[in-house]
Amino acid sequence: QVQLVESGGGLVQAGGSLRLSCAASGTIFGRNTMGWYRQAPGKQRELVASFTQNGITNYADSVKGRFTISRDDTLYLQMNSLKPEDTAVYYCNCQVYDTIGAVKFVYWGQGTQVTVSS
């Protein structure tokens, strides 16, 4: 069983920076994509950034140029130039694919709160 544990959230002023980390316990078998999602109060959970094992990254338009996703044994999200609208609970996600590319497993972390004050 794979568990994802996030850390690094907190309170920061607008214009500041935070770095989120996501560590996986257990071995992830198979091709996978890891990513960060966020959910603000009253809103749907949305993709912030993702990183495939092939090194392909994808960002939401709202964070392009400000956030950087990276991974080694841990998944990171470097968040710069933070805005109040970035306030949300940030979740780490891992999707594991089968041999034909269908999603076989999906794992979620427990979430970490990011609050950006104006």
Side-chain angles (χ1 to χ4, degrees):
Q1 180 70 18
V2 174
Q3 290 186 324
L4 304 177
V5 180
E6 302 102 334
S7 60
L11 173 64
V12 65
Q13 288 188 331
S17 298
L18 283 174
R19 189 192 196 203
L20 304 183
S21 300
C22 172
S25 65
T27 302
I28 300 174
F29 292 100
R31 190 163 52 93
N32 64 82
T33 294
M34 296 194 74
W36 292 96
Y37 287 71
R38 67 186 181 187
Q39 187 166 20
K43 294 188 176 181
Q44 289 188 330
R45 191 172 296 189
E46 62 175 0
L47 175 68
V48 176
S50 63
F51 198 127
T52 72
Q53 279 186 304
N54 295 329
I56 298 172
T57 58
N58 181 47
Y59 294 92
D61 288 342
S62 59
V63 306
K64 283 180 181 177
R66 300 188 298 121
F67 291 11
T68 303
I69 190 171
S70 60
R71 67 184 284 184
D72 44 38
D73 292 334
T74 300
L75 182 71
Y76 303 98
L77 185 67
Q78 178 66 43
M79 305 185 294
N80 299 326
S81 302
L82 282 161
K83 305 175 180 180
E85 50 264 44
D86 295 317
T87 296
V89 178
Y90 284 70
Y91 296 91
C92 179
N93 169 273
C94 179
Q95 299 184 32
V96 183
Y97 306 98
D98 64 17
T99 55
I100 62 171
V103 176
K104 185 167 63 172
F105 299 111
V106 180
Y107 302 103
W108 290 97
Q110 81 287 355
T112 185
Q113 177 70 46
V114 171
T115 303
V116 184
S117 62
S118 57

